[in-house]
Amino acid sequence: MFDYLEKQLPKLILAPTAIVTLVCMYGFIGWTAALSFTKSRMLPQWDFVGWHQYERLFANPRWHVALDNLLVFTVLFIVIALFLGLMLAILLDRNIRNDGALRTIYLYPMAVSFIVTGTAWKWILNPGLGIEKMVRDLGFTDFEFRWLVDPDMAIYTIVIAAVWQSSGFVMAMFLSGLRGVDDSLIKAAQMDGASVFRTYWHVILPVMRPVFFGAVVILSHIAIKSFDLVQSLTGGGPGYASDLPATFMYTHAFSRAQMGLGAASAMVMLAGVMAIIVPYLYSELRGKKS
Amino acid sequence: MNTKLTGLALATMMAAAPSVQAGEVEVLHYWTSGGEAASVAFLKDQLAASGVDWVDFAVAGGAGESAATVLKSRAISGNPPTAAQIKGPSIQDWGELGFLTSIDDVAQANNWDEILPEVVSNVMKYEGKYVAAPVNVHRVNWLWANPEVFRKAGATIPTTWDDFMVQAQKLKDAGYIALAHGGQAWQDATVFEAVVLGVGGADYYNKAFVQADMDALNSATTKEVFETFGQLRQFVDINSPGRDWNLATSMVINGEAGMQIMGDWAKGEFKVAGMNPGTDYVCVAAPGTSGAYTFNVDSFAFFNQSDADNTQAQKVMAKEILSTDFQRVFNLNKGSIPARLGMARTEFDSCAHDSMDAFVASSASGSLVPSFAHGMAVSEAVSGAIYDSATQFFNSDDSAEAGVAALVAAVAAAK
């Protein structure tokens, strides 16, 4: 009896979490999927209309703006955050003095919520309050930096704020990766007379492949679910120029009584996340077996 | 152990269950700012005097978006509040879903059909029966101006859109921001609405933006509207995107900017700054709309209740909302005018007097129209589509033709 209990104990302990996950995650994903095929407006209604909401969604110019923005934002955000994070990590790894203090400085933005980041950058980038005004006050009266209020450039201000927030975290990931690289490998490379650059490029970075992978997955899901940063930095504006799918979904499902359309956009977002996560899981699980 | 737990569970359940008392109203509202909260407290005291308990259910957040979300979830779970702050066509939506209860007996007993203007009472009725009670009437098509700025720039307060461009240019040349504006979708829509009414007139407004008639939307008048609206871009300062409406108002108060187009809630800002209407600031109808009136009416809709005492309390509340005392106190605080006609007006300021006169006059002439920028005219889906096209147009260099095409496509898709 006792043995039986002991065997079952892990399952028993995990059961509540599993049930909550099943209901609250997968159950509601299913619920949203079902809603996206109905004509629900203010409240859920179960009149099924097939792919109608998806057709409406892709006929909506605002949705295309949101998708384009997501692509620009995700690619730039991941590439720049990875590059900056890696550079910071490599420089900090050169045994400089006070690296602990520096590490803390770069990591601190992570402790701030995206709402605070967005609000601070809204002021920094505002032409009448922030950088433009400061440089003009220094005497460069023709200086212009108006990305925040320019519909074509607003999305890049979101990239700036997001990179500022996240590159410290990427740095920490890479730093722990670098510290974990076997010293003998580096020594061997040095013995062979490899330059510092070649040592990193050919020896150390390939060893850190899993860290890259982890960073990309974490950054890409941050990018896809970005909502609070956009709300506080640009509010999706000017106009709807910096809308992202998450803000689009919220607006339509909750404040415009277009629940079916909102659900459809949520499902498209889910498909986007799956497109990244599934290959990752596949390679991870396959890697464990071999 | 076991009995203890059961006891605890029972106690928790009992505490969680709604306490049933004689006469209680649970009111969902989003009036949380200073003046608004004071007005709500007054209603609470009035009800207490009639023996009705008030359970406050305030959900903060701007134009009531969060409140609406909470209301939906409460209604779906079969536990709606007694009354909720809902307005415009949403009342019809809730009525259609079968959630609202008729308070027609209260209305008949208190002559609501006579004390309320017809445009307002129509909004409060679902299938001919009153299901909601109006608390106030806001006029949206106001132009607020700083006369000091106008004097310094040698400009005069414009009364038509053509004149507006001339005077605004003068203000701009004198180094002022001509039009104080916050680049948020609803503010863009508020200005757009004033242009629609000023350029197209009330008939066009009703056809195109209340009935959402596609032919009226896809017309030469709409193109003219977009041309005028597009001309306004040059009079707004570069920092406007994302600015809150009250910050724009304070630019007029400080003399940084000459004018703002905003509903009469802006008056509260001038009042707090210690400015007097007529001398320190001027309120006139938005250009070309002096005989017309875009109204925005706040109201409480009443939900079906299972408890008979609460139904009774609901009726007391409905009656109290239309009482002269509440209408007077509430609207003095909020800057709007009472929804019921024929009230003593001495305590109200000159802007409110103008608003009352225009309300009666425009209601007689047929130029009293519901505000689409404030959810009074069309469904949320259609007003969202109008918001999108107006804000996208105002924040781009699109031509008037492109603006019309985008608007027509968006409204057609949302219908």
Side-chain angles (χ1 to χ4, degrees):
Chain A
M1 179 66 196
F2 189 75
D3 279 354
Y4 177 75
L5 256 186
E6 200 175 60
K7 263 187 200 154
Q8 298 302 317
L9 192 63
K11 284 181 193 165
L12 270 176
I13 289 175
L14 287 177
T17 332
I19 291 168
V20 168
T21 312
L22 276 178
V23 173
C24 294
M25 299 290 295
Y26 299 99
F28 289 147
I29 288 175
W31 171 264
T32 309
L35 270 184
S36 73
F37 292 106
T38 68
K39 65 174 191 188
S40 303
R41 289 193 156 233
M42 194 165 78
L43 296 176
Q45 263 175 293
W46 300 105
D47 293 332
F48 287 93
V49 290
W51 295 93
H52 178 63
Q53 299 288 10
Y54 291 87
E55 283 161 18
R56 284 181 65 205
L57 182 67
F58 282 93
N60 190 328
R62 186 170 169 172
W63 173 248
H64 287 284
V65 170
L67 279 187
D68 290 349
N69 280 342
L70 180 65
L71 188 71
V72 170
F73 174 69
T74 311
V75 171
L76 285 181
F77 168 62
I78 293 178
V79 169
I80 299 176
L82 275 184
F83 179 77
L84 281 183
L86 182 62
M87 285 302 126
L88 289 173
I90 289 177
L91 294 177
L92 275 182
D93 197 38
R94 306 293 303 163
N95 286 330
I96 52 170
R97 254 189 301 169
N98 294 333
D99 72 323
L102 285 171
R103 212 164 50 211
T104 318
I105 288 175
Y106 290 123
L107 203 50
Y108 251 121
M110 196 70 194
V112 174
S113 81
F114 266 126
I115 295 284
V116 178
T117 306
T119 310
W121 279 96
K122 184 163 98 179
W123 292 333
I124 296 172
L125 295 170
N126 184 303
L129 292 172
I131 296 176
E132 179 176 307
K133 183 175 187 308
M134 199 182 77
V135 177
R136 285 190 172 197
D137 287 350
L138 289 175
F140 304 93
T141 47
D142 290 336
F143 179 79
E144 267 193 18
F145 185 66
R146 296 180 171 178
W147 286 10
L148 187 67
V149 295
D150 181 346
D152 296 329
M153 305 302 285
I155 187 68
Y156 299 106
T157 63
I158 296 175
V159 175
I160 295 177
V163 164
W164 176 82
Q165 163 105 331
S166 303
S167 48
F169 170 67
V170 179
M171 175 206 74
M173 280 184 80
F174 278 126
L175 203 52
S176 60
L178 285 174
R179 301 265 152 99
V181 174
D182 195 349
D183 250 2
S184 57
L185 273 177
I186 302 169
K187 293 227 169 76
Q190 282 168 347
M191 296 272 271
D192 289 343
S195 68
V196 174
F197 175 78
R198 288 180 67 92
T199 315
Y200 272 106
W201 189 249
H202 290 290
V203 180
I204 300 180
L205 292 188
V207 179
M208 299 223 308
R209 231 181 68 117
V211 183
F212 267 101
F213 225 64
V216 168
V217 168
I218 289 173
L219 291 177
S220 53
H221 91 256
I222 290 180
I224 288 177
K225 69 184 189 190
S226 275
F227 175 79
D228 36 7
L229 182 64
V230 187
Q231 286 292 4
S232 60
L233 182 59
T234 65
Y240 51 73
S242 59
D243 227 5
L244 285 181
T247 53
F248 178 96
M249 188 276 292
Y250 179 79
T251 311
H252 284 80
F254 296 111
S255 53
R256 288 199 180 167
Q258 305 233 41
M259 203 169 268
L261 189 70
S265 65
M267 292 316 290
V268 176
M269 280 168 65
L270 177 70
V273 178
M274 300 287 271
I276 295 168
I277 299 294
V278 168
Y280 171 69
L281 282 183
Y282 179 74
S283 69
E284 275 288 284
L285 296 178
R286 200 188 50 172
K288 291 237 171 77
K289 266 181 205 153
S290 63
Chain B
M1 174 67 193
N2 233 339
T3 45
K4 243 189 197 168
L5 260 183
T6 324
L8 199 70
L10 263 178
T12 331
M13 275 165 67
M14 275 153 74
S19 52
V20 185
Q21 301 177 4
E24 179 185 273
V25 285
E26 188 187 15
V27 184
L28 173 69
H29 64 91
Y30 46 91
W31 284 322
T32 47
S33 82
E36 295 170 343
S39 318
V40 169
F42 181 80
L43 181 58
K44 180 181 171 181
D45 293 343
Q46 294 280 83
L47 288 179
S50 317
V52 171
D53 284 338
W54 174 283
V55 180
D56 203 48
F57 185 10
V59 180
E65 271 178 23
S66 343
T69 308
V70 173
L71 179 62
K72 283 172 200 168
S73 53
R74 282 279 300 265
I76 294 174
S77 62
N79 180 28
T82 325
Q85 196 185 341
I86 309 175
K87 65 183 195 181
S90 302
I91 296 175
Q92 305 302 318
D93 292 344
W94 283 103
E96 227 164 86
L97 292 167
F99 283 105
L100 299 184
T101 184
S102 162
I103 47 163
D104 219 39
D105 46 343
V106 181
Q108 297 312 330
N110 292 285
N111 284 328
W112 285 14
D113 278 335
E114 275 154 46
I115 59 175
L116 293 178
E118 208 184 334
V119 274
V120 174
S121 61
N122 282 343
V123 177
M124 301 302 140
K125 288 178 186 171
Y126 174 68
E127 290 183 341
K129 303 253 193 274
Y130 280 95
V131 291
V135 291
N136 64 355
V137 178
H138 281 294
R139 186 185 198 181
V140 185
N141 58 326
W142 278 118
L143 176 77
W144 307 90
N146 186 324
E148 183 71 12
V149 172
F150 271 78
R151 202 178 47 74
K152 283 189 192 150
T156 53
I157 311 254
T159 51
T160 65
W161 280 111
D162 288 338
D163 190 31
F164 182 96
M165 305 305 165
V166 177
Q167 305 303 337
Q169 191 60 48
K170 284 188 196 165
L171 294 177
K172 199 179 168 187
D173 291 343
Y176 295 103
I177 295 163
L179 184 63
H181 180 68
Q184 296 170 342
W186 72 270
Q187 296 187 57
D188 292 337
T190 301
V191 175
F192 181 64
E193 176 177 278
V195 177
V196 169
L197 188 60
V199 171
D203 285 341
Y204 163 76
Y205 183 104
N206 274 323
K207 261 217 178 70
F209 291 93
V210 180
Q211 294 151 23
D213 178 81
M214 294 323 281
D215 292 333
L217 277 173
N218 199 0
S219 67
T221 318
T222 314
K223 195 181 149 219
E224 216 181 308
V225 166
F226 272 103
E227 274 161 6
T228 308
F229 189 45
Q231 276 180 285
L232 296 179
R233 291 171 183 146
Q234 54 180 317
F235 299 121
V236 170
D237 65 310
I238 187 77
N239 295 323
S240 86
R243 178 189 287 145
D244 287 325
W245 68 270
N246 52 336
L247 297 179
T249 310
S250 66
M251 288 162 59
V252 178
I253 294 175
N254 300 335
E256 257 178 89
M259 308 175 262
Q260 184 186 17
I261 291 169
M262 185 50 60
D264 49 19
W265 46 91
K267 200 164 66 185
E269 301 294 311
F270 288 101
K271 209 172 175 181
V272 170
M275 295 175 87
N276 293 314
T279 50
D280 302 329
Y281 69 95
V282 178
C283 52
V284 292
T289 67
S290 62
Y293 195 112
T294 37
F295 68 88
N296 175 17
V297 175
D298 286 315
S299 49
F300 281 112
F302 297 95
F303 282 75
N304 286 323
Q305 297 295 310
S306 48
D307 185 283
D309 286 337
N310 289 350
T311 310
Q312 201 49 44
Q314 201 170 38
K315 297 196 162 142
V316 176
M317 180 182 165
K319 179 172 171 251
E320 211 52 66
I321 286 174
L322 261 281
S323 72
T324 47
D325 270 350
F326 173 70
Q327 292 271 324
R328 179 178 54 84
V329 172
F330 183 88
N331 288 297
L332 281 173
N333 280 330
K334 191 126 195 305
S336 40
I337 63 168
R340 66 179 286 170
L341 299 169
M343 285 184 41
R345 46 193 270 174
T346 40
E347 284 181 71
F348 291 90
D349 62 19
S350 61
C351 293
H353 288 169
D354 281 356
S355 178
M356 292 173 188
D357 293 341
F359 188 61
V360 175
S362 62
S363 141
S365 70
S367 49
L368 179 60
V369 294
S371 159
F372 67 75
H374 296 273
M376 296 300 298
V378 283
S379 70
E380 284 167 322
V382 174
S383 72
I386 300 174
Y387 268 39
D388 278 354
S389 358
T391 191
Q392 184 62 14
F393 175 79
F394 197 65
N395 287 290
S396 65
D397 302 322
D398 289 354
S399 66
E401 286 85 359
V404 177
L407 176 69
V408 169
V411 171
K415 261 178 149 181

